[in-house]
Amino acid sequence: MKTADENANVLDVDFFQKAYKKLKSSAYYDKTNLCLRDRIARAESETDIDDTLKKLCDALQSDSWDNYEEGILSNIRCIHLPKKIAEESPASSDSDKKQGTLIPNSRNAREIRFNKDGVQTFIDMPVEGHILGVVWIMLIGWQLDKEYTNCYGNRIREKLYNELSGNVTFSPYLFEPYYQKYESWRDKALDIAQEHLKRDNVLITTLDFTRFYYSVDISHEFMESLLEKVQFENSLLRQETYKRINAFVEKVIKKYSKAYFCEIKESSERKILPIGFLPSNVLANECLHKFDNAILDGWNPIYYGRYVDDILIVEKVEKGSAIEEAYKNADLTFEKAFDHYVVNGDRWNGLSCDKSVQKEKRALFEKTNVDKDTIEYSILPKFTTPLDPETRITLQANKVKLFYFESGQSEALIKCFREKISKNKSEFRNMPEDDPVFQKDDYTEIYVMDQTGVNKLRDVNGLKLDKYELSKYLGKYQRISGIVTDKKEHQFVKDIKKIFDDAALIENYTLWERIITILFVNHYYDELFDFIGMIKHAIDKVKSYDNDVTEYLRTSLNECLKSGLARTLALYKSDKKLNVECSPLKEKPSETRNTIEAALLLSQCYLESRMFDKTLCAVWPELIFALSKDHKSPFDFTSYTETLNFIRENRPRKRIIPFSSAQRILSMRTIPTL
């Protein structure tokens, strides 16, 4: 039997319940890691989640941990999803160069090809593994996060722990809202640049690392060093628990990495960061922490900010400096400017920089000429230790942008950028007024030209859907379609086949659910079934550099389709609005019918776990569940009319929930806390 002091050093079930709530909230709002969302929905529907949490809590702190841990690790696999369609190779031969170019207005090609860099690989594992990942963040990650002063992305919630009690809060949020941090990272750079432009020339540098998560090599020494930064003395937990949870995260990284390199058929022992595993968010910042300090301490620019692997640097150009003289003489190139700051170390004058030290020892990057047209910069190993020496965090020169702003000249570039940002923010908040896109066949705002020039038609190389603009458009359409009853206004539904060719469908797979929701909620069942068929047809055209990877991609995309459809179908408490026997569906291909059948089964899991999209519900869904006498009785959560009638018929006689309150909830359309 344990003493009172020993019990004080043990994690309790309440701690794990809080961890699970934060995991569920993260999965609920994540539009990319759908496999985790599905797992959570199934776990709550098919098992007793409270019992699962208790067993996990006990196992972590008992002698049975090794067997329990192996059960999780043995079920780790990879999920491959598209990131970027491979660009067609330019003409290489002289005869090819003499030929003209055919530019179609559709990309319904025979194949939609992906190379290795165009595939994003997520981790898939039991829910218990993801819960342990959150526990690691709540024990270790949050302490590491305190040291990241100039890092804006993937930051842990400041109020993770209650200041008075010292306990983890019951809030569902684990990380700070990404959009707020992103805006702060970007706007602060522009503010500082504009302020200094009043008296000095300014250089703004933007850069991002190439496939950062796949480039690192997490060493055992690196993981062990994390524990050295953790405070134990004020913790109620035993050090053994910290070591176990830290070792578990390291083992997850190893298992994922081994599976990844095996599936892409690459011989490598590197331990890379698993995408979709929440500790990776913190570890990514930790990998670049020494690099951040090196820039701040050595280069010491007027602004440095990093958002995950995207970097913004604002530097004042000194009067009479080599950079200013080169600019005046029209001799300033990207290579000359970038080498000045990060390769030669000419600008380094920070807090601990000894000017007597040789320039090469003050450098941040190593410069490599990959070929005659490509220059590559990689962070020097001393700024990535204790990562494995195999780590090569690189950036390509052709993706780096340097903006030189001359004091006293036009600030139009910065001002235009600010105005666009402001416009985008307001479009997300406000209902569109008489937007022509909803009244006629005009979708120019969601397309972007691929062109080398501005004014000449011969400079146009093609046309692509803009993911950001498309997402905005669908959001606006989803809001307005619910209040427009005139079917003539729903031109978008008729034009789906025009807008989405095969390539566009695959590129925008994260938006399938939103389109499915628009069609389903507005009862466009024929169009919905056709859209599912379009997606299935496009998936069959997906092709990768390896036959096995091709099958992985197709399987994962089909799972995404099923997931998005299931979450939408959960908006109805039964399949009364849609089932496999309905006449429009009978005429569709068997693959479409099979997808619907599988989604209907999964939708019940989404319903029971409350993982469906609550923003589309007329009222807080828990009110309906509380009033419902029959859990399985049909109900349309999106219908205001059905909701009002249901509340009238089922409200308590003792008026525990006054009808006036129900009306007030209707007007609020609140998003309930998970």
Side-chain angles (χ1 to χ4, degrees):
M1 223 176 137
K2 292 181 179 162
T3 65
D5 289 339
E6 287 175 323
N7 282 325
N9 289 324
V10 178
L11 286 173
D12 57 15
V13 176
D14 179 70
F15 190 89
F16 279 79
Q17 287 175 338
K18 292 174 180 177
Y20 176 69
K21 187 175 185 180
K22 297 178 192 300
L23 172 68
K24 185 175 180 180
S25 175
S26 177
Y28 180 87
Y29 291 105
D30 192 347
K31 294 184 174 54
T32 57
N33 196 3
L34 303 189
C35 62
L36 174 57
R37 195 178 70 183
D38 288 353
R39 278 193 174 273
I40 290 174
R42 287 194 174 97
E44 285 202 28
S45 175
E46 299 171 358
T47 63
D48 184 342
I49 196 65
D50 289 328
D51 184 59
T52 299
L53 294 173
K54 185 179 185 305
K55 290 179 179 177
L56 179 58
C57 176
D58 293 340
L60 180 62
Q61 300 162 110
S62 69
D63 295 336
S64 64
W65 169 242
D66 289 343
N67 290 334
Y68 195 98
E69 180 187 52
E70 182 56 32
I72 298 173
L73 296 173
S74 61
N75 284 285
I76 289 177
R77 69 186 185 100
C78 294
I79 293 181
H80 304 272
L81 285 165
K83 184 180 180 182
K84 185 180 180 182
I85 295 176
E87 297 179 1
E88 294 189 10
S89 303
S92 56
S93 68
D94 292 337
S95 60
D96 289 336
K97 293 178 182 180
K98 294 176 182 179
Q99 300 291 329
T101 303
L102 174 65
I103 303 175
N105 68 343
S106 171
R107 292 181 293 163
N108 286 321
R110 287 179 297 176
E111 293 182 349
I112 305 172
R113 297 196 64 84
F114 292 89
N115 54 33
K116 189 178 294 184
D117 292 345
V119 178
Q120 192 86 295
T121 304
F122 291 80
I123 189 173
D124 182 35
M125 65 178 169
V127 172
E128 292 90 332
H130 287 286
I131 296 171
L132 288 169
V134 178
V135 170
W136 181 90
I137 292 174
M138 292 162 61
L139 294 179
I140 297 173
W142 75 278
Q143 298 193 55
L144 303 176
D145 183 82
K146 292 180 179 180
E147 303 297 322
Y148 309 147
T149 55
N150 286 69
C151 173
Y152 292 81
N154 293 334
R155 298 304 304 274
I156 296 175
R157 200 87 171 177
E158 289 185 7
K159 296 182 179 179
L160 180 65
Y161 280 82
N162 187 292
E163 295 181 359
L164 297 177
S165 67
N167 297 324
V168 177
T169 62
F170 207 68
S171 164
Y173 304 110
L174 184 61
F175 294 95
E176 295 287 351
Y178 75 92
Y179 50 87
Q180 292 179 2
K181 285 294 183 180
Y182 187 87
E183 287 178 357
S184 176
W185 166 71
R186 177 199 60 211
D187 293 347
K188 191 175 180 180
L190 296 177
D191 290 341
I192 290 175
Q194 281 193 292
E195 179 62 30
H196 279 268
L197 267 174
K198 297 175 182 178
R199 53 190 179 274
D200 299 300
N201 296 347
V202 170
L203 192 69
I204 300 179
T205 304
T206 67
L207 55 95
D208 67 283
F209 297 111
T210 304
R211 291 175 62 81
F212 172 63
Y213 272 47
Y214 304 94
S215 301
V216 300
D217 191 358
I218 305 295
S219 67
H220 177 68
E221 291 72 25
F222 175 84
M223 294 301 299
E224 287 289 303
S225 70
L226 304 181
L227 295 176
E228 299 173 3
K229 303 180 180 182
V230 174
Q231 298 294 322
F232 293 104
E233 59 271 19
N234 296 325
S235 174
L236 297 177
L237 304 171
R238 297 171 298 177
Q239 292 191 21
E240 181 63 26
T241 304
Y242 279 86
K243 293 178 181 178
R244 278 187 176 183
I245 199 69
N246 197 59
F248 172 77
V249 170
E250 182 180 356
K251 291 174 184 177
V252 169
I253 292 171
K254 288 182 178 178
K255 290 285 290 188
Y256 164 85
S257 302
K258 185 177 180 179
Y260 170 76
F261 287 114
C262 179
E263 292 185 7
I264 69 168
K265 296 180 173 58
E266 182 177 324
S267 179
S268 177
E269 298 295 324
R270 288 190 295 114
K271 282 77 70 180
I272 60 178
L273 291 174
I275 298 174
F277 187 45
L278 291 178
S280 294
N281 296 355
V282 181
L283 293 172
N285 287 333
E286 184 66 22
C287 289
L288 291 172
H289 184 44
K290 188 177 286 189
F291 172 79
D292 294 339
N293 290 337
I295 289 184
L296 294 170
D297 192 38
W299 183 344
N300 194 26
I302 58 177
Y303 173 81
Y304 170 78
R306 179 174 57 80
Y307 191 91
V308 191
D309 59 349
D310 288 340
I311 291 175
L312 273 173
I313 302 173
V314 182
E315 175 63 318
K316 178 180 69 176
V317 180
E318 301 287 354
K319 304 289 186 186
S321 67
I323 296 297
E324 186 184 52
E325 291 301 315
Y327 179 78
K328 287 181 178 179
N329 298 326
D331 190 38
L332 183 62
T333 62
F334 154 77
E335 189 174 354
K336 185 175 292 186
F338 202 65
D339 287 2
H340 175 84
Y341 292 111
V342 302
V343 178
N344 302 329
D346 291 330
R347 176 64 180 85
W348 279 42
N349 60 356
L351 301 175
S352 63
C353 182
D354 185 355
K355 292 292 185 75
S356 65
V357 177
Q358 295 178 345
K359 287 182 178 180
E360 59 268 20
K361 294 185 179 181
R362 300 203 306 262
L364 271 170
F365 286 87
E366 179 183 7
K367 178 181 176 183
T368 306
N369 292 308
V370 179
D371 53 50
K372 64 177 184 178
D373 299 319
T374 307
I375 299 173
E376 189 177 80
Y377 294 89
S378 55
I379 300 178
L380 289 171
K382 63 181 177 180
F383 300 120
T384 60
T385 55
L387 291 173
D388 194 276
E390 291 268 336
T391 295
R392 287 192 77 250
I393 303 174
T394 65
L395 55 92
Q396 290 185 357
N398 58 3
K399 294 185 178 181
V400 179
K401 292 183 179 177
L402 271 71
F403 301 88
Y404 193 103
F405 293 94
E406 193 174 352
S407 179
Q409 300 298 313
S410 173
E411 299 177 20
L413 183 60
I414 293 180
K415 289 181 178 179
C416 286
F417 188 54
R418 282 191 180 277
E419 288 178 4
K420 181 165 177 66
I421 292 168
S422 178
K423 180 176 180 292
N424 287 336
K425 288 165 66 175
S426 65
E427 284 184 345
F428 273 116
R429 285 195 296 264
N430 303 325
M431 182 69 72
E433 298 181 3
D434 196 31
D435 198 328
V437 79
F438 301 114
Q439 302 173 24
K440 59 182 180 179
D441 184 5
D442 181 8
Y443 305 102
T444 53
E445 68 179 54
I446 65 175
Y447 286 99
V448 60
M449 282 283 190
D450 178 13
Q451 60 190 99
T452 55
V454 178
N455 297 319
K456 297 177 181 178
L457 188 60
R458 68 169 178 262
D459 294 327
V460 176
N461 299 318
L463 194 67
K464 291 183 179 180
L465 280 173
D466 187 311
K467 288 186 179 181
Y468 179 68
E469 293 295 336
L470 178 60
S471 179
K472 280 193 329 186
Y473 169 77
L474 291 175
K476 291 191 292 183
Y477 187 90
Q478 190 168 317
R479 285 182 300 209
I480 203 171
S481 63
I483 61 175
V484 175
T485 58
D486 185 359
K487 298 301 180 181
K488 293 180 181 179
E489 299 293 328
H490 293 252
Q491 183 66 33
F492 167 76
V493 175
K494 300 178 182 179
D495 293 337
I496 286 178
K497 291 182 180 180
K498 292 183 189 178
I499 299 171
F500 294 97
D501 55 32
D502 294 333
L505 280 172
I506 300 302
E507 285 178 323
N508 297 280
Y509 76 91
T510 57
L511 298 176
W512 290 349
E513 182 182 316
R514 188 169 292 182
I515 299 170
I516 288 170
T517 300
I518 290 172
L519 297 174
F520 187 58
V521 170
N522 291 285
H523 313 305
Y524 290 106
Y525 299 130
D526 276 322
E527 291 81 359
L528 171 61
F529 302 144
D530 288 341
F531 184 66
I532 294 171
M534 287 170 58
I535 294 174
K536 301 286 286 186
H537 179 73
I539 291 175
D540 289 339
K541 290 186 176 182
V542 168
K543 188 78 174 176
S544 184
Y545 58 93
D546 179 82
N547 290 335
D548 288 342
V549 177
T550 296
E551 289 305 311
Y552 298 148
L553 282 169
R554 292 177 180 179
T555 300
S556 299
L557 286 168
N558 276 302
E559 287 296 312
C560 288
L561 173 59
K562 183 178 70 175
S563 178
L565 184 57
R567 196 181 190 218
T568 301
L569 294 176
L571 291 167
Y572 298 87
K573 283 184 64 178
S574 80
D575 59 354
K576 68 164 188 168
K577 301 281 184 170
L578 180 70
N579 59 71
V580 295
E581 300 299 325
C582 70
S583 55
L585 188 57
K586 287 181 178 179
E587 302 173 359
K588 303 301 177 183
S590 59
E591 286 192 356
T592 300
R593 297 199 301 272
N594 293 338
T595 300
I596 298 289
E597 287 180 344
L600 282 169
L601 292 174
L602 182 57
S603 70
Q604 296 305 308
C605 299
Y606 271 91
L607 180 68
E608 294 174 16
S609 64
R610 311 296 196 265
M611 288 290 283
F612 56 91
D613 192 349
K614 300 178 182 68
T615 63
L616 299 171
C617 298
V619 301
W620 181 36
E622 289 304 318
L623 175 64
I624 304 301
F625 285 108
L627 296 176
S628 179
K629 299 181 181 65
D630 180 7
H631 179 68
K632 296 183 179 181
S633 60
F635 186 82
D636 182 356
F637 283 104
T638 69
S639 172
Y640 282 87
T641 303
E642 189 167 334
T643 298
L644 283 170
N645 291 334
F646 179 86
I647 293 174
R648 288 192 184 99
E649 295 171 2
N650 296 275
R651 67 182 187 272
R653 293 181 179 180
K654 295 183 179 181
R655 302 184 69 82
I656 299 174
I657 304 176
F659 184 58
S660 59
S661 298
Q663 289 179 310
R664 181 176 59 81
I665 296 173
L666 267 171
S667 65
M668 292 171 60
R669 288 179 64 88
T670 56
I671 303 175
T673 302
L674 294 171

